[in-house]
């Protein structure tokens, strides 16, 4: 923004809106939004007041604001549009390659969801002839355990790139019933593991989600926003050590996924315009 060469009204509006994502948390006051955005208090006040009228912001108590429903609709539309331009067959092919290149591992793509709470949901999978019962858990256990971002390489790979207030809220959640023996139970150790993931670009899970299964995961980004993660699961007794080759495969697949999800296909829009 500093290089845009101006402080037009439109730019100031975007800077105030962006300040909410920089600050994290839920509700913010006029002074902290002004500091984070670099916009003077009076301009921030006018922007917030106008934004409340159109639903971009909500006033919560005296002089306190949070993002509103029209902002949520905008974010949802951006994500929906990004997925509309994604070839699901290419996503499946990417997971199939990851499965093949990890000697038959179970390959999954999980997406980040904020419905009710920050969690993850399975978007696509490549498991060959395997069955979820091979994980040693019921369908209910698999769904409940694997939805939590505080459990497993996939959850931590996503959680590591979320704002710190969200991280602390997730870490404060109880460990889901049915989690494996390797799950992080100490909250400080869990928080420290997130810093390692950010530094390394991947996460390794040792029997976190289910006994007897290890995993390697990498986050999927759209620009700098984390959308989800890809993961490969293998039985603990057959997964190789060191994990260098598996790590390279999973990180490469995550980059490919980010490219498929985030990059627009110009020919698609040109064709639509011509129609």
């Amino acid at each position: 923004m500093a290089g845009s060469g101006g402080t037009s009204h439109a730019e100031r509006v975007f800077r105030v809106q962006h300040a909410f994502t920089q600050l994290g948390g839920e509700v913010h006051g006029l002074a902290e939004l002004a500091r984070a955005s670099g916009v003077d208090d009076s301009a921030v006040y006018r922007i917030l007041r106008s934004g409340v009228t159109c639903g971009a912001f909500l006033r919560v108590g005296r002089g306190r604001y949070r993002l509103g429903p029209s902002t949520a609709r905008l974010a949802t539309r951006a994500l929906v549009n990004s997925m509309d331009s994604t070839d699901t067959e290419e996503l499946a092919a990417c997971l199939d390659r990851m499965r093949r290149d990890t000697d038959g591992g179970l390959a999954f793509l999980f997406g980040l969801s904020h419905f009710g709470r920050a969690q993850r949901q399975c978007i696509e999978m490549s498991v060959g002839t395997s069955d979820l019962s091979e994980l040693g858990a019921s369908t209910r256990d698999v769904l409940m355990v694997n939805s939590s971002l505080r459990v497993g390489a996939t959850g931590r790979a996503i959680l590591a790139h979320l704002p710190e207030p969200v991280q602390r809220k997730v870490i404060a959640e109880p460990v889901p019933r049915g989690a494996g023996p390797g799950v992080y139970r100490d909250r400080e150790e869990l928080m420290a593991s997130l810093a390692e993931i950010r530094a390394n670009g991947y996460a390794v899970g040792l029997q976190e989600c289910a006994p007897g299964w290890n995993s390697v995961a990498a986050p999927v980004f759209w620009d700098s926003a984390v959308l989800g993660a890809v993961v490969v699961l293998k039985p603990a007794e057959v997964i190789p050590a060191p994990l260098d080759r598996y790590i390279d495969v999973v990180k490469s697949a995550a980059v490919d996924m980010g490219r498929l999800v985030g990059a627009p296909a110009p020919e698609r829009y040109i064709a639509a315009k011509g129609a």
Side-chain angles (χ1 to χ4, degrees), residues 198-221:
R198 288 191 296 273
N200 298 328
Y202 67 89
V204 174
L206 304 177
Q207 302 189 62
E208 286 188 56
C209 291
W213 288 81
N214 290 348
S215 56
V216 180
V220 176
F221 294 102

Side-chain angles (χ1 to χ4, degrees), residues 89-194:
E89 291 186 4
E90 289 189 62
L91 290 178
C94 185
L95 287 178
D96 285 341
R97 287 194 298 273
M98 191 168 76
R99 171 176 160 76
R100 181 186 65 245
D101 293 342
T102 54
D103 310 311
L106 305 183
F108 295 87
L109 168 63
F110 281 89
L112 172 63
S113 170
H114 286 284
F115 188 78
R117 61 185 175 89
Q119 57 187 322
R120 55 183 161 140
Q121 59 183 6
C122 184
I123 304 298
E124 187 62 80
M125 67 179 74
S126 176
V127 297
T129 58
S130 301
D131 189 271
L132 289 180
S133 62
E134 292 185 27
L135 294 174
S138 67
T139 301
R140 179 182 181 280
D141 288 338
V142 170
L143 291 175
M144 293 299 292
V145 171
N146 284 284
S147 69
S148 174
L149 295 180
R150 78 177 315 285
V151 177
T154 316
R156 292 187 295 110
I158 297 172
L159 185 61
H161 299 280
L162 294 178
E164 187 174 338
V166 178
Q167 292 178 354
R168 294 201 174 277
K169 186 178 292 187
V170 170
I171 289 173
E173 296 174 2
V175 175
R177 288 179 54 192
V183 68
Y184 283 82
R185 297 187 179 275
D186 183 274
R187 292 175 179 176
E188 292 304 317
E189 289 183 5
L190 176 54
M191 182 63 84
S193 78
L194 303 183

